[in-house]
Amino acid sequence: MSNLWNAHLIRPDASALLSGDTIPALFWNGVDQRGSQTWLRQKKLGIWRSWSWQQTGEAVREIAGGLMSLGFAPGDTASILSNTVVEWVLADMAVLSCGGVANGIYPTDAASQVQYLCADSGTRFLFVEDDEQLDKALEIRGQLPGLTRIVVFDMKGLRDLDDPGVISLAGLREIGVAYLQQHPDELAHRIKACRPADLAILIYTSGTTGKPKGAMHSHAGLVYSLHGMHRILPQNEEDQRMCFLPLCHAAERIFGAYMGLLTGTVLNFVENPETVPENVREIAPTVFAGVPRIWEKFYSGVVIALKEASAVQQGAYAWSIGVGTRIADKVLAGEPVGAALKLKFTLARWLTLNNVRKLIGIHRARFLVTGAAPISPELIRWYLALGIPMVEIWGMTETGGASTCNPIARIRLGTIGPATAHNEVRIAPGSGEILVRGPNVFMGYLNQPGKTAETIDAEGWLRTGDVGVVDDDGYFRITDRMKDIIITAGGKNITPSELENELKFSPYITDAVVIGDKRSYLTVIVMIDQENVEKFAQDSDVPFSNYASLTRAPQVQALIQGELDRVNRKFARVEQIKKFFLLDTQLSAEDEELTPTMKLKRKLVQEKYAAQIEAMYP
């Protein structure tokens, strides 16, 4: 197949890793050892700017000096309310270097949510990205007596602001320079005083079942997790990563930024979430980690593009992807690939597959990583057919990263792989719940000892809330969330995620929530892919005036019914979906129905659209 499957490309090299038992120790060792090498890159106004380790260290030093000059003490908390930008990392490293606790807040959170998170975490300093985020901070500042100062990254539009409680990042750096001249040893003292057991970061859960909970991670736990993940998905200073997921999410914070810190991988920051498809083609990452929605979007883009291709081009692609799929299936089965099939694959890549990879921006990728939500096995098979291994990992905020991972050379579709070597994973007798134990497991929930005791038992096993099974080879498979399993009126246990993953494989469906608990049959709430469905409507001369009218068009209803029929054919009659309705509101990350990683919140959606659901059960 492709040389990407060769083991030498995925063998970890510990010699290139930084030493250090805390995040600040790792960072400052990186500044000393990597100096002029590029670590961060960010595109602004169409121009890429590079940050060397030295330049990053200088900025972090000045920010840390500014914090200390304003009274930021070891153990104090600072929160960061911003999109994924270089300044996020600078602030994070500065807070941790001061011996503080760093907490991230989603930029899509409302002012009331920001207030709760700052109050619960005891935030003393709040970093905000721009005037939009500053407005939220100013709105709730009066309810946060412990808040000392607000620091703004981008002062565009705030030139005339005169508020003693607000300072620009540039202004903070200026007073930091003056402070460090008077106290040249203070920062080094703070870094040295930082202990592995100290609380380092807070990552708040999404709060879909109540108020968000602050998961506490120590320096020791984070460093341990990073080394463990490097053993299974190794990277080095020659690799290029793309930073685009929210940095307050465990995936981008730990497996993205902190893994880049440990390994020296160059981190490329996209302009904004909307430019990801364009930026990924520019960056051409060698290691690419994303959530299923990203992989689904790339796939649907190729499918839609093919509909406009000529018959010859469509035929060439069909033959090429067929060859790739045959090889992928052999590799997955552990069977040898003959010389004739390898030759055909070389031709297939030359004909179409290389162009498909370049269209997506994954033509340099050594491997792809998917996690944070279930994904269709067929989607993974498609990427394998392109010649690039995609591995599914599983973990959660509380596990500090991946707890299971499909080995690149031994991928098993439909599973989340065996337990990683740095933790234990088992199935609880009776309930089938997946349990995790290891030094990577979090310290507990801030201010919530009762919730912590419910989550971690006396033997240190973390109750994950996921239900699963494990095969004889140690590969785990998630069957569903404990709270999401559907038991129909006839007593049939249904795993909604399996149906939902099949539906999301459609280029016209972005997300789906299957309904049917204690009911006589299954129904589904569908969120369409706006771009692809609009194109279908335009190509088919379907009239529509807005998003709502698009979802109500008979031709669009028939299009989604066709996708539903395709999925239903794969399931037994009792598991088939009888009816559906389309959300007629265009949702974004700002809407309460969606998580920051753009997944529909099952419980909230069922509550909010209860009337529409009942209408499907006359």
Side-chain angles (χ1 to χ4, degrees), residues 62 75 84 90 112 158 163 182 208 219 222 225 243 249 252-253 263 266 284 292 315 322 356 440 459 484 514 556:
E62 292 172 1
T84 301
L90 302 181
S112 59
L158 298 170
D163 188 321
Q182 296 174 357
T208 55
H219 290 279
L222 292 171
S225 291
C243 276
H249 191 280
E252 196 69 270
R253 182 88 167 275
T263 62
V266 178
V356 171
N440 52 306
E459 297 179 348
D484 291 343
V514 172
V556 171

Side-chain angles (χ1 to χ4, degrees), residues 17-27 29 33 196 219-220 223-224 226-227 262:
L17 303 182
L18 297 174
S19 61
D21 53 10
T22 67
I23 297 297
L26 288 177
F27 174 71
N29 284 339
Q33 295 175 31
H219 290 279
V223 172
Y224 178 83
L226 293 175
H227 282 279
L262 177 71

Side-chain angles (χ1 to χ4, degrees), residues 81-104:
L81 174 60
S82 169
N83 283 289
T84 301
V85 293
V86 163
E87 289 83 359
W88 210 112
V89 175
L90 302 181
D92 190 23
M93 290 298 111
V95 170
L96 296 177
S97 295
C98 289
V101 178
N103 171 50

Side-chain angles (χ1 to χ4, degrees), residues 67 90 94 136 208 211 231 233 418 492 535 559 603:
L67 289 172
L90 302 181
K136 299 177 188 177
T208 55
K211 288 288 188 182
R231 285 194 291 271
L233 297 170
K492 173 67 176 177
K535 188 175 189 314
L559 174 71
K603 183 178 178 181

Side-chain angles (χ1 to χ4, degrees), residues 277 281 293-309 317 356 359-360 379 382-383 505-508 529 531-532 535:
R281 286 190 287 269
R293 181 155 185 182
I294 294 293
W295 308 122
E296 292 158 2
K297 192 70 175 173
F298 287 156
Y299 167 77
S300 67
V302 172
V303 171
I304 297 302
L306 277 168
K307 293 183 182 296
E308 296 184 340
Y317 169 80
V356 171
L359 176 67
I360 297 172
L379 192 58
W382 183 77
Y383 283 96
F505 193 54
S506 163
Y508 302 111
D529 185 295
E531 182 181 350
N532 291 343
K535 188 175 189 314

Side-chain angles (χ1 to χ4, degrees), residues 475-497:
Y475 280 70
F476 288 84
R477 183 169 65 86
I478 293 177
T479 53
D480 223 311
R481 294 289 293 171
M482 290 187 72
K483 62 189 178 192
D484 291 343
I485 291 175
I486 291 174
I487 303 177
T488 66
K492 173 67 176 177
N493 279 32
I494 303 289
T495 301
S497 60

